Every structure is written in C-alpha cells, then in structure tokens.
Amino acid sequence: MREIRTEDAAGHILCHDITQIIKDEKKGVLFKKGHVVREEDIPALLSVGKEHLYVWEKKEGILHENEGAEILYRICAGPSMHGTEIKEGKIELVADEDGVLKIRREALVKVNSLGEMMIASRHGDFPVKKGDKLAGTRIIPLVIEQEKMDRAVEAAGSEPLFRILPYHHKKVGIVTTGSEVQKGLIQDTFTPVLKDKLGEYPSQVVGQTTPGDVKEQITEDILAFIREGADMVICSGGMSVDPDDRTPGAIKDTGARIVTYGAPVLPGAMLLLAYYEYEGRSIPILGLPGCVMYAKRTVFDLILPRIMADDEIKADEIAAFGEGGLCLNCEVCTFPNCGFGK
C-alpha cells in the first residue's frame, strides 16, 4: 500500500475500512476496504480527519489485514462455531450450539506471542450457549508478511485452537445422607437445589435414597445406582471432618478413583470428586458440601458443566481454581460473567 493525500484519492482503492464515530450517535464504517474513492467522497473523508489515505497496491508476499484475519480464523475455528463477516479487519467466532468451550491454551499463547496479530477469547472450560461470542481475531498493522502468518499456522498446530464439547443426557442418582433427613427431623432442602441446577442441562434424576449416616449403606446405594444405569451419582451432605460425617469414606469404599477431596474454592472447599469405572465408562461420583444447598454459586457450578460434557476433570485443574476460587457474593450475581473460577 502507499500513502496519498486525500484530495488526490479519486479513483484509488482503499486498503482499509474508514470508521466514522459520532459521540452518542454512531460508530460504523463510512467506507469499506476495497471502495473506489470518488470526488464526492473526499469531503466526507476529510470530515473524519483523514487528510491522508492508504491505497492498495498488491505486492507478492504481503497480505492485507482481512487476509490475515481469515488465516487466524481458520486456525481458531473448530466444529459447532462460525465466523462473522470481516469488519474493520476483524472476524469474530460465534457458537453454534450449547456446550463447554475448550481452548488449547499453550498454542493460543504461542500465536499471540508472535506479535502483529491477536486472538482474544472468553475463558475456556466454561459453558457457552448457541449465539455466544467466543473470540475475535485480527492482525495489528494494515498489512503483514505472508511468512509471519505461516509462522502463526505452524505455532497453532494441526488442531483448532477452540472447540465446543456438547452436553450429553445423563441419568443421575442422588444419595442424601444424614440421619436427621432419614428420620424426617428436618426437611430435605438440598435435593430441590440439585434438581434446579441439573435442570439447566439435559438430565434426569432417576432416584433418591436416604441412607442416613451408615457408611456401608451409603456405599451400597452409590453402587446400586451405577448398576441400575446412572451416569452420575451425587451424594449430598456429610462432607466435613465431623465423626458423624461418613460420605467421603463411603465413596472411597466403592473402589472409585478419588480425584480430590477438597478444593481451593469458597464456597465449596469440602468437595469430593471421584470416577468409578464400570462397563467401560468413567462414572463421576460427587460428594457435595452443605454450602451448595444455600450459596448461590459454589464449586458445583464450576465442575457441573464439564461433567455434563464428559470432560474429565483432573486434580491439577482443581488445584488451579485457587486463583479466582473466591466467590465475592456480589449483591447482583452475574456468574459466569465474573471472576469466579477464572
């Protein structure tokens, strides 16, 4: 491209969008890239402060910002998402279905570290809905060398940087512990909360038991749900270190693989997450602390979407919740559009 005086631009092709901003009224494209400037366009160009323009002169090995954005989009986009039309050299990625957004974080950092290009996204491992904006891509200058974009493709690798894991329908068994519930001394207010949260995803509660505080019975109830076809078992209550709280030991006695007992999250520090191998499936077993019953957002909200998408959670990922794991109990909750869990 080359720079010319706006007064001399008639007949030349713009190599970038010209933006017009009028306070409290509009921000939009006055003339799009590729527009052939006419004499009558010159006053409008001058009115937005464009005394000089860059006009396009195609050169071998040099790419326009739109071509650069298209390359970045191609290395980002996985299935179940699409790109918007290019606007001001930028392409945005939009979700085509509900699910959990997964990001190849190391590759994303590698591309963004190359300079003169950028990919900005929302946080990964969180739920997204169809129509949600996922990311935006563009190069920083108006033109860029083909060689630099080739390096971006190499840094990204062969797999897309972003993908959406769809939710799967799950049959859920609920084991409500505590002798006070079993004997009817108090009302079970935990299960309605669980059903409400599960109701946000494709799921079916197939049964509920109340084994009290008998560890052997809690273990048997968990295994019975699994044998009967449950895809997930949730144990509510009995998760503290009180001698009468038997749930952690009961889950361990099933033979399940314990991922963690405890999480650096408030509310939700006493979480237990385990997986039970049964007929070729890894079935999650959750021991949920009492805070899930009364706190608006807890560790359960951080892990449930991933469990519903069959995205196995590892111990180091739970440990990473420490930064961002403190819910601020805002008067107006905006989760997941906040810092909790990020």
Side-chain angles (χ1 to χ4, degrees):
M1 62 183 178
R2 66 187 177 93
E3 181 182 332
I4 64 171
R5 294 172 66 248
T6 299
E7 289 89 341
D8 302 328
H12 288 279
I13 301 173
L14 292 176
C15 66
H16 60 98
D17 292 348
I18 301 293
T19 302
Q20 183 181 48
I21 301 174
I22 301 175
K23 187 177 183 298
D24 299 328
E25 291 188 24
K26 64 174 285 190
K27 176 187 176 183
V29 177
L30 181 62
F31 296 108
K32 285 192 173 184
K33 165 252 181 182
H35 176 74
V36 179
V37 179
R38 303 164 298 176
E39 286 287 350
E40 57 265 36
D41 297 333
I42 292 175
L45 290 164
L46 293 171
S47 74
V48 295
K50 298 298 181 183
E51 296 186 355
H52 295 81
L53 299 172
Y54 286 109
V55 293
W56 184 245
E57 290 183 330
K58 184 67 175 175
K59 185 178 179 181
E60 189 68 26
I62 301 296
L63 301 179
H64 184 267
E65 62 175 352
N66 287 5
E67 296 171 300
E70 288 172 349
I71 292 172
L72 292 176
Y73 166 72
R74 288 197 295 271
I75 67 179
C76 286
S80 302
M81 61 187 72
H82 69 273
T84 60
E85 290 186 7
I86 299 178
K87 183 178 181 181
E88 298 178 336
K90 178 177 66 178
I91 299 178
E92 295 179 340
L93 284 75
V94 179
D96 289 333
E97 68 174 334
D98 296 354
V100 172
L101 177 65
K102 300 295 292 183
I103 301 176
R104 294 176 50 235
R105 293 186 174 93
E106 290 185 6
L108 177 62
V109 171
K110 285 182 180 179
V111 174
N112 279 329
S113 298
L114 293 173
E116 297 192 315
M117 63 190 73
M118 58 76 67
I119 302 167
S121 78
R122 62 169 60 207
H123 281 278
D125 293 333
F126 270 78
V128 295
K129 293 185 178 295
K130 181 179 180 179
D132 280 353
K133 186 189 302 182
L134 306 177
T137 73
R138 70 168 301 154
I139 65 167
I140 306 304
L142 294 173
V143 294
I144 194 168
E145 293 90 341
Q146 174 73 59
E147 180 269 337
K148 291 182 179 178
M149 298 311 303
D150 292 342
R151 285 165 54 198
V153 173
E154 181 180 358
S158 59
E159 298 294 323
L161 296 184
F162 304 108
R163 61 194 173 110
I164 295 175
L165 298 183
Y167 301 127
H168 301 280
H169 186 275
K170 293 196 178 296
K171 292 179 284 186
V172 183
I174 297 176
V175 179
T176 303
T177 66
S179 59
E180 68 277 18
V181 177
Q182 182 190 49
K183 295 176 182 178
L185 299 178
I186 66 169
Q187 182 181 357
D188 174 17
T189 56
F190 210 139
T191 303
V193 173
L194 295 181
K195 289 182 176 179
D196 284 346
K197 290 188 179 291
L198 289 166
E200 298 176 13
Y201 303 92
S203 64
Q204 174 190 1
V205 175
V206 295
Q208 178 187 10
T209 64
T210 54
D213 293 316
V214 180
K215 187 171 71 169
E216 294 76 14
Q217 189 60 55
I218 297 171
T219 299
E220 175 53 33
D221 287 358
I222 295 169
L223 293 174
F225 274 129
I226 292 173
R227 290 193 297 266
E228 292 164 8
D231 303 301
M232 170 170 45
V233 179
I234 298 176
C235 300
S236 59
M239 292 302 301
S240 77
V241 294
D242 188 296
D244 288 333
D245 286 342
R246 310 294 173 83
T247 306
I251 295 174
K252 183 179 180 180
D253 287 352
T254 65
R257 171 172 51 89
I258 306 296
V259 175
T260 186
Y261 176 31
V265 179
L266 292 173
M270 304 306 289
L271 167 77
L272 190 151
L273 171 64
Y275 288 95
Y276 186 87
E277 303 300 324
Y278 184 75
E279 295 184 343
R281 298 184 297 147
S282 292
I283 299 171
I285 303 173
L286 304 182
L288 296 183
C291 62
V292 175
M293 178 170 47
Y294 58 82
K296 188 171 183 63
R297 296 298 179 183
T298 69
V299 68
F300 188 42
D301 298 282
L302 301 183
I303 66 171
L304 181 59
R306 294 185 60 183
I307 289 173
M308 296 303 301
D310 288 341
D311 185 22
E312 186 168 321
I313 303 170
K314 299 178 174 57
D316 60 348
E317 293 176 307
I318 296 290
F321 281 148
E323 182 179 1
L326 177 64
C327 177
L328 299 180
N329 298 309
C330 302
E331 186 173 341
V332 178
C333 179
T334 60
F335 181 84
N337 299 319
C338 68
F340 183 48
K342 301 182 178 69

